[in-house]
Amino acid sequence: CRCAWPVSQQGYYMLCWASGFSKYVVIAWQWIVKIMELLYMDTIVVQRFLSYAPNARSWSYIAKQRAPVTPRIAEVFIMFVITWLFLGNLYLGSGEGKNENYFESKSMNNILLRSMAARREGRTYSYCVVVLWTVIITIGSVVLPAYIIFMAPTIFFVVYSGEVLTDMATLFLLFDYILKWEQKSLYLIQFAACLTAEQRVGTTTYVQGARATAEIRAQSFAYLWYGGILMFVLIISYHFRFGLIWMWILPISMVYFFIVTHAMPYCMHGWPICPNDTGACVFMTALATIIVFFLLFFLKHGCFLFPCLCVPDVPGWAFFPPNTAVWSPLRGVWDVNAGFFLHPFSRLWAWATTPFDDEKCMWEPQPENYKSQAFMW
């Protein structure tokens, strides 16, 4: 087994902390980082997607706006290449180190988790530690990549102002900062543990076998191709319809990444990827983590996922807007989810049993919802 799967001192070093105080420091800090990342990404969803949809910077607007020809051509050209530039940043980071590949790091963490779960410590006194790390790694490899893939084209579409240099620098700096969080957290842990230079190298060395290398590359490309195609489709489609219905991309992407994380290793290598005694626990813990997150996500954003659920605060035309400039109906009404959060079952029952008629769902915007033709967004 050690010849086939990675023998990483980092994973074993964490297990050595299982009987000491340091493990609580590491796990507590990992939870702080993950919560901070989730809050950060969800705040971006609120501020850069919900507060702007269904506003549309349509293709006709770009063609007719009063601006020099070169910036307009540059805007269209950049839309077609920004996706692949951003994917290159995910693939190599800001340098050429292998560990800076964002998606490869997710596969490496999952292999480390299986390696930890297969050891005697993981099957005995460190069982609870394995469960905690399963939750943390599932959030990092399933939930956060879905947010990044969805928000990268959204931010570029919303914040693009025609200042090419400033807009692109803002996008790359924003997400490069997100990608560096875990690396900076590792530095803090190394400082808190008082590690020497030799120990820092030893605890971050990742030695992998041939099958592990093949799995990491396969999962990395499954992440990259899905992310690249989806971001390209979104950034083009936003210029036709920029409605709330696109928010379904988030849960759909999470399901896809969960399947990639757990199905691809088994399809490639079969039963050896399932640790004895702990394999089922790791999978069920990861599944339970995603189910709980889905429930919280639907409770928090239910009004922006299901048309007609929270009318009149969230009208139906916000999901399928016209291809013209309209004001967002959600500006300053961010408590619309409160009624759904407090009474989700009664709201969903009423939503499922009531016909979607035009009068109730408000499928067509009112005249006051349209922007003036002279307004430049």
Side-chain angles (χ1 to χ4, degrees), residues 83-165:
T83 299
W84 311 110
L85 292 177
F86 182 69
L87 283 178
N89 191 46
L90 291 175
Y91 189 74
L92 291 177
S94 57
E96 297 180 356
K98 183 177 181 180
N99 288 337
E100 292 188 9
N101 184 319
Y102 180 76
F103 290 137
E104 275 195 5
S105 68
K106 305 308 175 186
S107 304
M108 294 164 73
N109 286 339
N110 278 284
I111 294 177
L112 268 181
L113 178 63
R114 295 205 304 266
S115 181
M116 293 169 63
R119 287 182 57 82
R120 181 185 63 84
E121 296 89 339
R123 292 182 282 110
T124 53
Y125 62 85
S126 294
Y127 202 88
C128 293
V129 176
V130 172
V131 172
L132 288 174
W133 276 108
T134 301
V135 177
I136 292 172
I137 291 176
T138 300
I139 294 174
S141 60
V142 175
V143 176
L144 293 176
Y147 270 99
I148 289 177
I149 293 299
F150 175 68
M151 289 313 302
T154 303
I155 289 177
F156 180 79
F157 175 75
V158 169
V159 306
Y160 189 85
S161 62
E163 296 290 338
V164 179
L165 181 61

Coordinates of all heavy atoms in Angstrom, one line a residue, residues 83-165:
T83 N -11.1 33.7 -19.2 CA -11.3 32.4 -18.6 C -10.1 31.6 -18.6 O -9.7 31.0 -17.5 CB -12.4 31.7 -19.3 OG1 -13.6 32.5 -19.3 CG2 -12.7 30.3 -18.8
W84 N -9.4 31.6 -19.7 CA -8.2 30.7 -19.8 C -7.0 31.3 -19.0 O -6.2 30.6 -18.5 CB -7.8 30.5 -21.2 CG -9.0 30.1 -22.0 CD1 -9.7 30.8 -23.0 CD2 -9.8 28.9 -21.9 NE1 -10.8 30.1 -23.4 CE2 -10.9 28.9 -22.8 CE3 -9.6 27.7 -21.1 CZ2 -11.8 27.9 -22.9 CZ3 -10.5 26.7 -21.2 CH2 -11.6 26.8 -22.1
L85 N -6.9 32.6 -18.9 CA -5.9 33.2 -18.1 C -6.1 32.9 -16.6 O -5.2 32.6 -15.9 CB -5.9 34.8 -18.3 CG -5.5 35.3 -19.7 CD1 -5.6 36.8 -19.7 CD2 -4.0 34.9 -19.9
F86 N -7.4 33.0 -16.2 CA -7.7 32.7 -14.8 C -7.4 31.2 -14.5 O -6.9 30.8 -13.5 CB -9.1 33.0 -14.5 CG -9.5 32.8 -13.1 CD1 -9.0 33.6 -12.1 CD2 -10.4 31.7 -12.7 CE1 -9.4 33.3 -10.8 CE2 -10.8 31.5 -11.4 CZ -10.2 32.3 -10.4
L87 N -7.7 30.3 -15.5 CA -7.4 28.9 -15.3 C -6.0 28.6 -15.2 O -5.5 27.8 -14.4 CB -8.0 28.1 -16.4 CG -9.5 27.8 -16.4 CD1 -9.9 27.0 -17.7 CD2 -9.9 27.1 -15.2
G88 N -5.2 29.4 -15.9 CA -3.7 29.3 -15.8 C -3.2 29.7 -14.4 O -2.3 29.1 -13.9
N89 N -3.9 30.7 -13.8 CA -3.6 31.1 -12.5 C -3.9 30.0 -11.5 O -3.2 29.7 -10.5 CB -4.3 32.4 -12.1 CG -3.8 33.0 -10.8 OD1 -2.6 33.1 -10.6 ND2 -4.7 33.4 -10.0
L90 N -5.0 29.3 -11.7 CA -5.4 28.2 -10.8 C -4.4 27.0 -11.0 O -4.2 26.3 -10.1 CB -6.8 27.7 -11.2 CG -8.0 28.7 -10.8 CD1 -9.3 28.1 -11.3 CD2 -8.0 28.9 -9.3
Y91 N -4.0 26.8 -12.2 CA -3.1 25.7 -12.5 C -1.7 25.8 -12.0 O -1.1 24.9 -11.5 CB -3.1 25.4 -14.0 CG -2.4 24.1 -14.4 CD1 -3.1 22.9 -14.2 CD2 -1.2 24.1 -15.0 CE1 -2.5 21.7 -14.6 CE2 -0.6 22.9 -15.3 CZ -1.3 21.7 -15.1 OH -0.7 20.5 -15.4
L92 N -1.1 27.0 -12.1 CA 0.2 27.2 -11.7 C 0.4 28.2 -10.6 O 1.5 28.3 -10.0 CB 1.1 27.7 -12.9 CG 1.3 26.7 -14.0 CD1 2.1 27.3 -15.1 CD2 2.1 25.5 -13.4
G93 N -0.6 29.0 -10.2 CA -0.5 30.0 -9.2 C 0.3 31.2 -9.7 O 0.4 31.4 -10.9
S94 N 1.0 31.9 -8.8 CA 1.8 33.0 -9.2 C 3.2 32.6 -9.4 O 4.1 33.4 -9.7 CB 1.7 34.1 -8.1 OG 2.1 33.5 -6.9
G95 N 3.5 31.3 -9.3 CA 4.9 30.9 -9.5 C 4.9 29.6 -10.2 O 3.9 29.2 -10.9
E96 N 5.9 28.8 -10.1 CA 6.0 27.5 -10.9 C 6.1 26.3 -10.0 O 6.4 25.2 -10.4 CB 7.3 27.6 -11.8 CG 7.2 28.7 -12.8 CD 8.5 28.7 -13.7 OE1 9.4 27.9 -13.4 OE2 8.5 29.4 -14.7
G97 N 5.8 26.5 -8.7 CA 5.8 25.4 -7.8 C 4.6 24.5 -8.0 O 3.5 24.9 -8.2
K98 N 4.9 23.2 -7.9 CA 3.8 22.2 -8.1 C 2.7 22.4 -7.1 O 1.5 22.2 -7.5 CB 4.3 20.8 -8.1 CG 3.3 19.8 -8.5 CD 3.9 18.4 -8.5 CE 2.8 17.3 -8.9 NZ 3.3 16.0 -9.0
N99 N 3.0 22.6 -5.9 CA 2.0 22.7 -4.8 C 1.1 24.0 -5.0 O 0.2 24.1 -4.2 CB 2.7 22.7 -3.4 CG 3.2 21.3 -3.1 OD1 2.7 20.3 -3.6 ND2 4.1 21.3 -2.2
E100 N 1.4 24.8 -5.9 CA 0.6 26.0 -6.1 C -0.5 25.7 -7.1 O -1.3 26.6 -7.4 CB 1.4 27.2 -6.6 CG 2.4 27.7 -5.6 CD 3.1 29.0 -6.0 OE1 2.7 29.5 -7.0 OE2 4.0 29.4 -5.3
N101 N -0.6 24.5 -7.6 CA -1.8 24.1 -8.5 C -3.0 24.0 -7.5 O -3.0 23.0 -6.7 CB -1.4 22.8 -9.2 CG -2.6 22.4 -10.1 OD1 -3.7 22.5 -9.8 ND2 -2.2 21.9 -11.3
Y102 N -3.9 24.8 -7.7 CA -5.1 24.9 -6.7 C -5.9 23.6 -6.8 O -6.2 23.0 -5.7 CB -6.0 26.1 -7.1 CG -7.2 26.2 -6.2 CD1 -7.0 26.7 -4.9 CD2 -8.4 25.8 -6.6 CE1 -8.1 26.8 -4.0 CE2 -9.5 25.9 -5.8 CZ -9.4 26.4 -4.5 OH -10.5 26.5 -3.7
F103 N -6.2 23.1 -8.0 CA -7.0 21.9 -8.1 C -6.2 20.6 -7.7 O -6.8 19.7 -7.2 CB -7.6 21.8 -9.5 CG -8.6 22.8 -9.7 CD1 -8.7 23.5 -10.9 CD2 -9.6 23.1 -8.8 CE1 -9.6 24.5 -11.2 CE2 -10.5 24.1 -9.0 CZ -10.6 24.8 -10.2
E104 N -4.9 20.6 -8.0 CA -4.1 19.4 -7.7 C -4.1 19.3 -6.1 O -4.0 18.2 -5.6 CB -2.7 19.5 -8.3 CG -2.6 18.9 -9.7 CD -1.2 18.7 -10.1 OE1 -0.3 18.9 -9.2 OE2 -1.0 18.4 -11.2
S105 N -4.0 20.5 -5.5 CA -3.9 20.4 -4.0 C -5.1 19.8 -3.4 O -5.1 19.1 -2.3 CB -3.7 21.8 -3.4 OG -4.8 22.6 -3.7
K106 N -6.3 19.9 -4.0 CA -7.5 19.3 -3.5 C -7.5 17.8 -3.6 O -7.8 17.1 -2.7 CB -8.7 19.9 -4.3 CG -8.9 21.4 -4.3 CD -8.8 22.0 -2.9 CE -8.8 23.5 -2.9 NZ -8.6 24.0 -1.6
S107 N -7.0 17.3 -4.8 CA -6.8 15.9 -4.9 C -5.8 15.3 -3.9 O -5.9 14.2 -3.3 CB -6.4 15.5 -6.3 OG -7.3 16.1 -7.3
M108 N -4.7 16.1 -3.7 CA -3.6 15.6 -2.8 C -4.2 15.6 -1.4 O -3.8 14.6 -0.6 CB -2.4 16.6 -2.9 CG -1.7 16.5 -4.3 SD -0.7 17.9 -4.5 CE 0.7 17.6 -3.4
N109 N -5.0 16.5 -1.0 CA -5.6 16.5 0.3 C -6.5 15.3 0.5 O -6.5 14.7 1.6 CB -6.3 17.8 0.6 CG -5.4 19.0 0.8 OD1 -4.3 18.8 1.2 ND2 -6.0 20.2 0.6
N110 N -7.2 14.9 -0.5 CA -8.1 13.8 -0.3 C -7.3 12.5 -0.3 O -7.7 11.5 0.5 CB -9.1 13.7 -1.5 CG -10.3 14.6 -1.3 OD1 -11.2 14.4 -0.6 ND2 -10.3 15.8 -2.0
I111 N -6.2 12.4 -1.0 CA -5.4 11.2 -0.9 C -4.7 11.1 0.5 O -4.6 10.1 1.1 CB -4.3 11.2 -2.0 CG1 -5.0 11.0 -3.3 CG2 -3.3 10.1 -1.8 CD1 -4.1 11.0 -4.5
L112 N -4.3 12.3 1.0 CA -3.8 12.3 2.4 C -4.8 11.9 3.4 O -4.5 11.2 4.3 CB -3.3 13.8 2.7 CG -1.9 14.2 2.4 CD1 -1.7 15.6 2.8 CD2 -0.9 13.3 3.2
L113 N -6.0 12.3 3.2 CA -7.1 11.9 4.1 C -7.3 10.4 4.1 O -7.4 9.7 5.2 CB -8.4 12.5 3.7 CG -9.6 12.2 4.5 CD1 -9.5 12.6 6.0 CD2 -10.9 12.8 3.9
R114 N -7.2 9.7 2.9 CA -7.3 8.3 2.9 C -6.1 7.6 3.5 O -6.2 6.6 4.2 CB -7.5 7.8 1.4 CG -8.7 8.3 0.7 CD -9.1 7.3 -0.4 NE -8.0 7.2 -1.4 CZ -7.9 7.9 -2.5 NH1 -8.8 8.9 -2.8 NH2 -6.9 7.7 -3.3
S115 N -5.0 8.2 3.3 CA -3.8 7.7 3.9 C -3.8 7.8 5.4 O -3.5 6.8 6.1 CB -2.5 8.5 3.4 OG -1.3 8.0 4.0
M116 N -4.4 8.9 6.0 CA -4.5 9.0 7.4 C -5.6 8.0 7.9 O -5.4 7.3 9.0 CB -5.0 10.4 7.7 CG -4.0 11.5 7.5 SD -4.7 13.2 7.6 CE -5.2 13.2 9.3
A117 N -6.7 7.8 7.2 CA -7.7 6.9 7.6 C -7.3 5.5 7.6 O -7.8 4.6 8.3 CB -9.0 7.1 6.7
A118 N -6.3 5.1 6.7 CA -5.9 3.7 6.6 C -4.9 3.3 7.7 O -4.7 2.1 7.9 CB -5.3 3.5 5.2
R119 N -4.3 4.3 8.4 CA -3.3 3.9 9.4 C -4.0 3.4 10.7 O -5.2 3.7 10.9 CB -2.5 5.1 9.7 CG -1.5 5.4 8.6 CD -0.6 6.6 9.0 NE 0.1 6.4 10.2 CZ 1.3 5.7 10.4 NH1 1.8 5.2 9.3 NH2 1.9 5.6 11.5
R120 N -3.2 2.8 11.5 CA -3.8 2.2 12.8 C -4.3 3.4 13.6 O -5.3 3.2 14.3 CB -2.7 1.4 13.5 CG -3.2 0.8 14.8 CD -2.0 0.2 15.6 NE -1.0 1.2 15.9 CZ -1.1 1.9 17.0 NH1 -2.1 1.8 17.9 NH2 -0.1 2.8 17.3
E121 N -3.6 4.5 13.7 CA -4.0 5.6 14.5 C -5.4 6.1 14.1 O -6.2 6.5 14.9 CB -3.0 6.7 14.4 CG -1.6 6.4 15.0 CD -0.7 5.8 14.0 OE1 -1.2 5.3 13.0 OE2 0.6 5.8 14.2
G122 N -5.6 6.2 12.7 CA -6.8 6.7 12.2 C -8.0 5.8 12.5 O -9.1 6.2 12.5
R123 N -7.7 4.5 12.7 CA -8.7 3.5 12.9 C -9.0 3.3 14.4 O -9.8 2.5 14.8 CB -8.4 2.2 12.2 CG -8.5 2.3 10.7 CD -8.2 1.0 10.0 NE -6.8 0.7 10.0 CZ -6.2 -0.3 10.6 NH1 -6.9 -1.1 11.4 NH2 -4.9 -0.5 10.5
T124 N -8.2 3.9 15.3 CA -8.3 3.7 16.7 C -8.5 5.0 17.4 O -9.6 5.6 17.3 CB -7.1 3.0 17.2 OG1 -5.9 3.7 16.9 CG2 -7.0 1.5 16.7
Y125 N -7.5 5.5 18.1 CA -7.7 6.7 19.0 C -7.8 8.0 18.2 O -8.2 9.0 18.8 CB -6.5 6.8 20.0 CG -5.2 7.0 19.4 CD1 -4.7 8.2 19.1 CD2 -4.3 5.9 19.2 CE1 -3.4 8.4 18.6 CE2 -3.0 6.1 18.6 CZ -2.6 7.3 18.3 OH -1.4 7.5 17.8
S126 N -7.5 8.0 16.9 CA -7.6 9.3 16.2 C -8.8 9.2 15.2 O -8.8 10.0 14.3 CB -6.3 9.5 15.3 OG -5.2 9.7 16.2
Y127 N -9.8 8.4 15.5 CA -10.9 8.2 14.7 C -11.7 9.6 14.5 O -12.1 10.0 13.4 CB -11.9 7.2 15.2 CG -12.8 6.6 14.3 CD1 -12.4 5.5 13.5 CD2 -14.1 7.1 14.1 CE1 -13.3 4.9 12.6 CE2 -15.0 6.5 13.2 CZ -14.6 5.4 12.4 OH -15.4 4.9 11.5
C128 N -11.9 10.3 15.6 CA -12.6 11.5 15.6 C -11.8 12.6 14.8 O -12.4 13.5 14.2 CB -12.9 12.0 17.0 SG -14.0 11.0 17.9
V129 N -10.5 12.5 14.9 CA -9.6 13.5 14.2 C -9.9 13.3 12.7 O -9.9 14.2 11.9 CB -8.2 13.3 14.5 CG1 -7.3 14.2 13.7 CG2 -8.0 13.6 16.0
V130 N -9.9 12.0 12.2 CA -10.2 11.7 10.8 C -11.5 12.3 10.4 O -11.6 12.8 9.3 CB -10.1 10.2 10.6 CG1 -10.5 9.9 9.1 CG2 -8.7 9.7 10.8
V131 N -12.5 12.1 11.2 CA -13.9 12.7 10.9 C -13.8 14.2 10.7 O -14.4 14.7 9.8 CB -14.9 12.2 12.0 CG1 -16.2 13.0 11.7 CG2 -15.1 10.7 11.9
L132 N -13.1 14.8 11.6 CA -13.0 16.3 11.6 C -12.3 16.8 10.3 O -12.7 17.7 9.6 CB -12.3 16.9 12.8 CG -13.1 16.8 14.1 CD1 -12.3 17.2 15.3 CD2 -14.4 17.7 14.0
W133 N -11.2 16.0 10.0 CA -10.5 16.4 8.8 C -11.3 16.1 7.5 O -11.1 16.8 6.5 CB -9.1 15.7 8.7 CG -8.0 16.3 9.5 CD1 -7.5 15.9 10.7 CD2 -7.4 17.6 9.2 NE1 -6.6 16.8 11.1 CE2 -6.5 17.8 10.2 CE3 -7.5 18.5 8.1 CZ2 -5.7 19.0 10.2 CZ3 -6.7 19.6 8.1 CH2 -5.8 19.8 9.1
T134 N -12.1 15.1 7.6 CA -13.0 14.8 6.4 C -13.9 16.0 6.1 O -14.1 16.4 5.0 CB -13.8 13.5 6.7 OG1 -12.9 12.4 6.9 CG2 -14.7 13.2 5.5
V135 N -14.5 16.5 7.2 CA -15.4 17.7 7.0 C -14.6 18.9 6.4 O -15.1 19.6 5.5 CB -16.0 18.1 8.4 CG1 -16.9 19.3 8.2 CG2 -16.9 16.9 8.9
I136 N -13.4 19.1 7.0 CA -12.6 20.3 6.5 C -12.2 20.1 5.1 O -12.3 21.1 4.3 CB -11.4 20.4 7.5 CG1 -11.8 20.9 8.9 CG2 -10.4 21.5 6.9 CD1 -10.7 20.8 9.9
I137 N -11.7 18.9 4.7 CA -11.2 18.7 3.4 C -12.4 18.7 2.4 O -12.2 19.1 1.2 CB -10.4 17.4 3.3 CG1 -9.1 17.6 4.1 CG2 -10.1 17.0 1.9 CD1 -8.2 16.3 4.2
T138 N -13.6 18.2 2.8 CA -14.7 18.2 1.9 C -15.1 19.6 1.6 O -15.4 20.0 0.4 CB -15.9 17.5 2.5 OG1 -15.5 16.1 2.8 CG2 -17.1 17.5 1.6
I139 N -15.2 20.5 2.5 CA -15.5 21.9 2.3 C -14.5 22.5 1.3 O -14.8 23.2 0.4 CB -15.5 22.7 3.6 CG1 -16.7 22.2 4.5 CG2 -15.7 24.2 3.3 CD1 -16.8 22.9 5.8
G140 N -13.2 22.2 1.6 CA -12.1 22.8 0.7 C -12.1 22.3 -0.7 O -11.7 23.0 -1.6
S141 N -12.5 21.0 -0.9 CA -12.4 20.4 -2.2 C -13.7 20.3 -3.0 O -13.7 20.0 -4.2 CB -11.8 19.0 -2.1 OG -12.7 18.2 -1.3
V142 N -14.8 20.6 -2.4 CA -16.1 20.6 -3.0 C -16.8 21.9 -3.0 O -17.2 22.4 -4.1 CB -17.0 19.5 -2.4 CG1 -18.4 19.5 -3.0 CG2 -16.4 18.1 -2.5
V143 N -16.9 22.5 -1.9 CA -17.7 23.8 -1.8 C -17.0 25.0 -2.3 O -17.5 25.7 -3.1 CB -18.1 24.0 -0.3 CG1 -18.9 25.3 -0.1 CG2 -19.0 22.8 0.2
L144 N -15.8 25.2 -1.8 CA -15.0 26.4 -2.2 C -14.7 26.4 -3.7 O -14.8 27.5 -4.3 CB -13.8 26.5 -1.4 CG -14.0 26.8 0.1 CD1 -12.7 26.8 0.9 CD2 -14.8 28.1 0.3
P145 N -14.3 25.3 -4.4 CA -14.1 25.4 -5.8 C -15.3 25.8 -6.6 O -15.2 26.5 -7.6 CB -13.6 24.0 -6.2 CG -13.0 23.5 -4.9 CD -13.8 24.1 -3.8
A146 N -16.5 25.4 -6.1 CA -17.7 25.7 -6.8 C -18.0 27.2 -6.7 O -18.4 27.9 -7.7 CB -18.9 25.0 -6.2
Y147 N -17.7 27.8 -5.6 CA -17.8 29.3 -5.4 C -16.8 30.0 -6.4 O -17.2 31.0 -7.0 CB -17.5 29.7 -4.0 CG -18.8 29.7 -3.1 CD1 -19.0 28.7 -2.2 CD2 -19.6 30.8 -3.1 CE1 -20.2 28.7 -1.4 CE2 -20.7 30.8 -2.3 CZ -21.0 29.8 -1.4 OH -22.1 29.8 -0.6
I148 N -15.6 29.5 -6.4 CA -14.6 30.2 -7.2 C -15.0 30.2 -8.7 O -14.9 31.2 -9.4 CB -13.2 29.6 -7.0 CG1 -12.7 30.0 -5.6 CG2 -12.2 30.1 -8.0 CD1 -11.4 29.4 -5.2
I149 N -15.4 29.0 -9.2 CA -15.7 28.8 -10.6 C -16.9 29.7 -10.9 O -17.0 30.3 -12.1 CB -16.1 27.3 -10.9 CG1 -14.8 26.5 -10.7 CG2 -16.6 27.2 -12.3 CD1 -13.7 26.8 -11.7
F150 N -17.9 29.9 -10.0 CA -19.0 30.7 -10.3 C -18.8 32.2 -10.2 O -19.2 33.0 -11.0 CB -20.2 30.3 -9.3 CG -21.4 31.2 -9.5 CD1 -22.2 31.1 -10.6 CD2 -21.7 32.1 -8.4 CE1 -23.3 31.9 -10.7 CE2 -22.9 32.9 -8.6 CZ -23.7 32.8 -9.7
M151 N -18.0 32.6 -9.3 CA -17.8 34.0 -9.0 C -16.7 34.7 -9.9 O -16.8 35.9 -10.1 CB -17.4 34.2 -7.5 CG -18.6 34.0 -6.6 SD -20.1 34.7 -7.0 CE -19.7 36.5 -7.2
A152 N -15.8 33.9 -10.4 CA -14.8 34.5 -11.3 C -15.4 35.2 -12.5 O -15.1 36.4 -12.7 CB -13.7 33.5 -11.7
P153 N -16.2 34.6 -13.3 CA -16.8 35.3 -14.5 C -17.8 36.3 -14.0 O -18.0 37.4 -14.6 CB -17.5 34.2 -15.3 CG -17.7 33.1 -14.3 CD -16.6 33.2 -13.4
T154 N -18.5 36.1 -12.9 CA -19.5 37.0 -12.4 C -18.9 38.3 -12.0 O -19.3 39.4 -12.3 CB -20.3 36.4 -11.2 OG1 -20.9 35.2 -11.6 CG2 -21.3 37.4 -10.7
I155 N -17.8 38.3 -11.2 CA -17.1 39.5 -10.8 C -16.6 40.3 -12.0 O -16.7 41.5 -12.1 CB -15.9 39.1 -9.8 CG1 -16.5 38.6 -8.5 CG2 -15.0 40.3 -9.6 CD1 -15.4 38.2 -7.5
F156 N -16.0 39.5 -13.0 CA -15.5 40.2 -14.1 C -16.6 40.9 -14.9 O -16.5 42.1 -15.4 CB -14.7 39.3 -15.1 CG -14.2 39.9 -16.3 CD1 -13.0 40.6 -16.3 CD2 -14.9 39.8 -17.5 CE1 -12.5 41.3 -17.4 CE2 -14.4 40.4 -18.7 CZ -13.2 41.2 -18.6
F157 N -17.7 40.3 -15.0 CA -18.9 40.8 -15.7 C -19.4 42.1 -15.0 O -19.8 43.1 -15.7 CB -20.0 39.8 -15.9 CG -21.2 40.3 -16.5 CD1 -21.3 40.5 -17.8 CD2 -22.4 40.5 -15.7 CE1 -22.5 41.0 -18.4 CE2 -23.5 41.0 -16.3 CZ -23.6 41.2 -17.6
V158 N -19.5 42.0 -13.7 CA -20.1 43.1 -12.9 C -19.2 44.3 -12.8 O -19.6 45.4 -12.9 CB -20.6 42.6 -11.6 CG1 -20.9 43.7 -10.6 CG2 -21.7 41.6 -11.7
V159 N -17.9 44.0 -12.5 CA -17.0 45.1 -12.1 C -16.3 45.7 -13.3 O -15.6 46.8 -13.2 CB -15.9 44.7 -11.1 CG1 -16.6 44.1 -9.9 CG2 -14.9 43.7 -11.7
Y160 N -16.4 45.1 -14.5 CA -15.7 45.6 -15.7 C -16.3 47.0 -16.0 O -17.5 47.2 -16.2 CB -15.9 44.7 -16.9 CG -15.0 45.1 -18.0 CD1 -13.7 44.6 -18.1 CD2 -15.4 46.0 -19.0 CE1 -12.8 45.0 -19.1 CE2 -14.6 46.3 -20.1 CZ -13.3 45.8 -20.1 OH -12.5 46.2 -21.1
S161 N -15.4 48.0 -16.0 CA -15.7 49.4 -16.2 C -15.1 50.0 -17.5 O -15.4 51.1 -17.8 CB -15.3 50.2 -15.0 OG -13.9 50.2 -14.9
G162 N -14.4 49.2 -18.2 CA -13.7 49.7 -19.4 C -12.2 50.0 -19.1 O -11.5 50.2 -20.1
E163 N -11.8 50.1 -17.8 CA -10.4 50.3 -17.5 C -9.7 48.9 -17.5 O -9.8 48.2 -16.5 CB -10.3 50.9 -16.1 CG -10.9 52.3 -16.1 CD -10.1 53.3 -16.9 OE1 -8.9 53.1 -17.1 OE2 -10.6 54.4 -17.2
V164 N -9.2 48.5 -18.6 CA -8.7 47.2 -18.8 C -7.7 46.8 -17.8 O -7.8 45.7 -17.1 CB -8.1 47.0 -20.2 CG1 -7.6 45.6 -20.4 CG2 -9.2 47.3 -21.3
L165 N -6.7 47.6 -17.6 CA -5.6 47.2 -16.6 C -6.1 47.1 -15.2 O -5.8 46.1 -14.5 CB -4.5 48.3 -16.7 CG -3.3 48.0 -15.8 CD1 -2.6 46.7 -16.2 CD2 -2.3 49.2 -15.9

